[in-house]
Amino acid sequence: MDFFEEQERARRRSRSLVLAYLAAVLFVVASYCAVGAALYALSTAYLHGNAAWASPEFLACIAAVVAALILSVTAWRIWQLREGGPMVAWLLGARYVEPGRCSGTERRLLNVVEEMAIASGIAVPPVYCLQRESGINALVAGYSPNEAVIIVTRGAIDKLSRDELQGVMGHEFSHILNGDMALNVRLVGLLAGLEWFVDTGEKLVYQVANEFRFKEREERGEGAVAAVFGFLIALIGFPGALAAGAIKAAISREREFLADAASVQFTRNPDAIAGALDSIIELRAHTSVSALHCELFSHMFFAHAAGRWWDFPTHPPIAERIRRAHPRFLRDDYRERRHGRRQHVAVIDGSGSVVKHVRALSFISSIGHPRAHELAALAVRRGAAAAEQAKALYVYVSILARNHMLTLADLAVPAIKEQKQKARDAFLADLAAVVEADRRVTLREFVLLTLLRQRLREGAGQPIATQFRRVEEVAGDAHAVVSLVALAATDPTTAFQRGNTVLKLGWTTPTPRESLSTARVGEALERLRHLAPFQKPGVLKACVEAAAADGKVALAEGELVRMVAATLDCPVPPLIAAS
């Protein structure tokens, strides 16, 4: 790799993206003007029976208000960050590492920072530690080399070797020298105005949602209005936050490649930066950071630290970074020297985050190869060619995190729905045969199969015939379904009691686990599907209460509730949809 050419290419791309900021602001202002004009036309049509175009003065007023909000929030954030690095460390809650009062691993970190300062020719920056963060990550913040600060997580200090710390510090010193550090801090201020609408709307919705947990239904009127208002603020402001995220991610991704390349220049050891990235995988570590205000500075970290579900990835995939920084990196040899083992490998998603770890032998033998009995079942039903095609496509699906399973299914449903019902039924039969090929059905398989059956069955999306007017008529079926969700919780007894308080059908204990066969649950869901529409939300709410009994919704609990919601043809609660 020609590092100097790579650096210049990254600089040119970053400059063009910074210029896109003004275009994003203009686009956001124009979008709000368009919404205002549409609302004006609708209101005049409703009041006077004839739609009228908004006057230029009215649109100018909207533009001025939106621009003023963007500029004022931006100015406030820039003023808040005027102190540069120390203010970033304070906002993140980082602790200053005192040279005379530090542990042995912290002393090693300080020595590495001093070495990198000498190699780069700048003053030794103060070092801060995110004491409660077990992930491997770091960042540098400030406006000029002489007032920069380096912030490192406790996980990076304790888990990385000295050479790997050198690689990470070389990466961060590159951000100082190449101007990335100042650019990144300024981006936080410049983009604050674009993100303000979504942040404000989300905070209002979450605040109301929290309050709803402690209020009776009749007391929720004003809160519901506030939640709708917050949702509208977030919805209208979403294009601005999306543009801000795109600019932040694009600049960060290019600069990460540049910093990795510069780290090799500083350390003269390509294994240092490649080894640090690889150790995130091999040590089964994570890179996420939970510190307050972390999302503001997520693009400044060494690796992926935080982000919303719709955010653009701020960092390139770890495997791609290793390949670009050190194309000849011998991963297995390095792991044997560094860790003395090769038995674990990681699966990484599209944003470069580690999503799971598996044993190397089982992983290597299975990658690109679904289980033999599943392929055999598919070959019997669809032929050898279809089985081979599934085998080839499996490698792309197998690397996805489990929480992407239902999302992938949702993306596939529209294409399958375009086929005739006979072809849909054949697909569902084939899927059932593959699922049952090993003579057992896992919870994950059951959820997926049930969801697809509900969405692809004949008459899906049409009104469901009512066979049961009251939930008491199907009390046993509701008992089984709520029990299924409760048994997936950490404390099944408490979870079941929470669900029981909603329906109040006199239950005392959940249905025994051994009684909840797939056939039993399937029959219960089918009968509940024909419950009267106004009775269904109570069943779904009981499942939600059971899933959220401990204050959080685990993946298995969320999947089960989504399955119940799809069967009952009820909207998925936001808490579950985001899980």
Side-chain angles (χ1 to χ4, degrees):
M1 174 187 289
D2 186 338
F3 295 119
F4 297 100
E5 181 182 349
E6 189 71 20
Q7 291 172 359
E8 184 55 32
R9 185 183 299 114
R11 290 192 189 97
R12 288 196 301 268
R13 291 175 182 172
S14 296
R15 283 194 294 265
S16 64
L17 287 167
V18 171
L19 293 176
Y21 169 76
L22 289 177
V25 172
L26 292 175
F27 175 80
V28 171
V29 173
S31 66
Y32 286 125
C33 288
V35 171
L39 292 175
Y40 183 89
L42 289 173
S43 62
T44 55
Y46 177 79
L47 295 173
H48 306 294
N50 185 27
W53 294 104
S55 65
E57 293 79 10
F58 178 77
L59 296 179
C61 182
I62 294 177
V65 171
V66 174
L69 282 172
I70 293 175
L71 293 176
S72 59
V73 172
T74 296
W76 177 81
R77 185 68 74 185
I78 290 174
W79 178 85
Q80 185 188 39
L81 296 174
R82 68 192 184 282
E83 297 179 14
M87 176 55 68
V88 174
W90 182 80
L91 288 173
L92 290 173
R95 173 183 64 83
Y96 174 64
V97 179
E98 299 182 47
R101 299 174 60 186
C102 60
S103 65
T105 53
E106 290 173 345
R107 181 69 260 178
R108 182 186 63 176
L109 171 64
L110 294 178
N111 291 340
V112 169
V113 170
E114 291 169 0
E115 292 167 5
M116 290 296 98
I118 293 172
S120 58
I122 65 174
V124 179
V127 178
Y128 289 78
C129 174
L130 291 171
Q131 191 66 32
R132 298 182 179 179
E133 301 294 338
S134 61
I136 296 177
N137 228 319
L139 76 154
V140 64
Y143 289 111
S144 66
N146 293 327
E147 60 91 30
V149 303
I150 287 179
I151 306 171
V152 186
T153 62
R154 170 55 59 185
I157 296 174
D158 292 340
K159 296 174 183 177
L160 296 181
S161 68
R162 196 180 195 283
D163 285 348
E164 290 166 351
L165 276 175
Q166 273 193 335
V168 174
M169 291 304 102
H171 175 103
E172 299 303 327
F173 272 80
S174 168
H175 285 316
I176 298 175
L177 292 176
N178 291 319
D180 305 346
M181 175 185 67
L183 172 62
N184 284 334
V185 176
R186 290 191 180 99
L187 273 179
V188 174
L190 288 172
L191 300 178
L194 291 176
E195 296 174 315
W196 179 83
F197 296 94
V198 167
D199 290 341
T200 302
E202 282 185 346
K203 288 177 182 177
L204 185 56
V205 171
Y206 289 144
Q207 180 181 350
V208 172
N210 274 335
E211 293 174 356
F212 272 12
R213 298 178 61 187
F214 307 100
K215 288 184 177 181
E216 297 296 330
R217 180 173 299 183
E218 57 270 17
E219 299 175 347
R220 296 179 178 179
E222 295 180 1
V225 174
V228 172
F229 181 69
F231 172 77
L232 291 176
I233 291 177
L235 181 64
I236 297 173
F238 182 76
L242 192 66
I247 293 173
K248 187 189 297 184
I251 291 178
S252 174
R253 288 171 69 89
E254 287 298 330
R255 295 280 170 164
E256 292 307 310
F257 284 132
L258 166 60
D260 288 342
S263 177
V264 177
Q265 291 177 296
F266 289 140
T267 63
R268 298 292 188 263
N269 178 14
D271 273 356
I273 184 64
L277 291 166
D278 187 71
S279 286
I280 294 174
I281 301 171
E282 175 60 13
L283 293 174
R284 290 177 285 172
H286 62 88
T287 60
S288 59
V289 176
S290 58
L292 193 64
H293 302 300
C294 175
E295 286 188 0
L296 284 175
F297 310 105
S298 60
H299 62 295
M300 298 170 60
F301 280 85
F302 172 73
H304 177 78
R308 297 183 176 94
W309 63 268
W310 49 263
D311 266 350
F312 295 87
T314 55
H315 292 72
I318 289 180
E320 176 65 9
R321 290 176 65 179
I322 294 174
R323 188 189 67 80
R324 295 274 290 268
H326 189 5
R328 296 181 179 85
F329 181 62
L330 302 176
R331 183 190 62 184
D332 289 342
D333 291 343
Y334 180 84
R335 288 182 178 181
E336 191 169 30
R337 295 195 312 271
R338 165 73 172 89
H339 307 288
R341 61 184 189 272
R342 304 188 187 193
Q343 66 267 32
H344 288 95
V345 249
V347 177
I348 305 172
D349 66 10
S351 67
S353 302
V354 177
V355 295
K356 64 178 178 179
H357 292 82
V358 294
R359 291 196 173 274
L361 292 178
S362 62
F363 179 81
I364 293 171
S365 63
S366 65
I367 187 166
H369 302 281
R371 289 175 290 185
H373 50 263
E374 294 173 341
L375 286 175
L378 184 59
V380 169
R381 300 189 63 89
R382 288 289 177 118
E388 285 299 317
Q389 187 177 15
K391 184 178 178 180
L393 293 174
Y394 182 78
V395 66
Y396 301 104
V397 179
S398 62
I399 64 174
L400 293 176
R402 177 177 171 179
N403 60 327
H404 295 318
M405 178 188 70
L406 299 185
T407 303
L408 182 63
D410 288 337
L411 293 173
V413 164
I416 303 173
K417 273 190 172 181
E418 291 181 358
Q419 303 178 30
K420 294 182 178 180
Q421 189 60 47
K422 185 177 180 180
R424 294 190 214 171
D425 293 339
F427 167 78
L428 291 172
D430 293 342
L431 179 60
V434 171
V435 166
E436 297 166 359
D438 58 355
R439 301 182 183 276
R440 68 185 184 91
V441 180
T442 65
L443 177 62
R444 182 185 185 187
E445 292 169 337
F446 176 69
V447 168
L448 179 62
L449 183 57
T450 303
L451 273 172
L452 289 176
R453 278 175 172 166
Q454 298 304 325
R455 291 174 181 170
L456 298 176
R457 67 192 305 164
E458 187 172 4
Q462 299 177 5
I464 302 172
T466 299
Q467 296 179 9
F468 308 102
R469 295 292 177 182
R470 301 181 61 196
V471 71
E472 286 80 2
E473 299 177 52
V474 285
D477 300 312
H479 187 195
V481 171
V482 175
S483 298
L484 179 67
V485 177
L487 289 172
T490 306
D491 184 355
T493 302
T494 302
F496 180 76
Q497 290 172 351
R498 285 287 296 273
N500 186 26
T501 57
V502 177
L503 294 177
K504 300 177 181 177
L505 294 177
W507 306 327
T508 56
T509 58
T511 302
R513 191 184 302 271
E514 57 273 14
S515 301
L516 292 175
S517 64
T518 55
R520 171 72 180 93
V521 175
E523 293 170 359
L525 287 170
E526 183 61 27
R527 279 191 288 270
L528 289 172
R529 181 173 176 268
H530 293 281
L531 188 60
F534 290 110
Q535 295 289 304
K536 291 179 180 179
V539 177
L540 182 59
K541 183 179 179 183
C543 293
V544 172
E545 289 295 323
D550 58 355
K552 58 184 179 180
V553 180
L555 180 58
E557 297 168 328
E559 289 177 345
L560 285 170
V561 175
R562 290 185 66 179
M563 177 189 71
V564 175
T567 303
L568 300 181
D569 197 24
C570 291
V572 180
L575 176 65
I576 305 299
S579 65

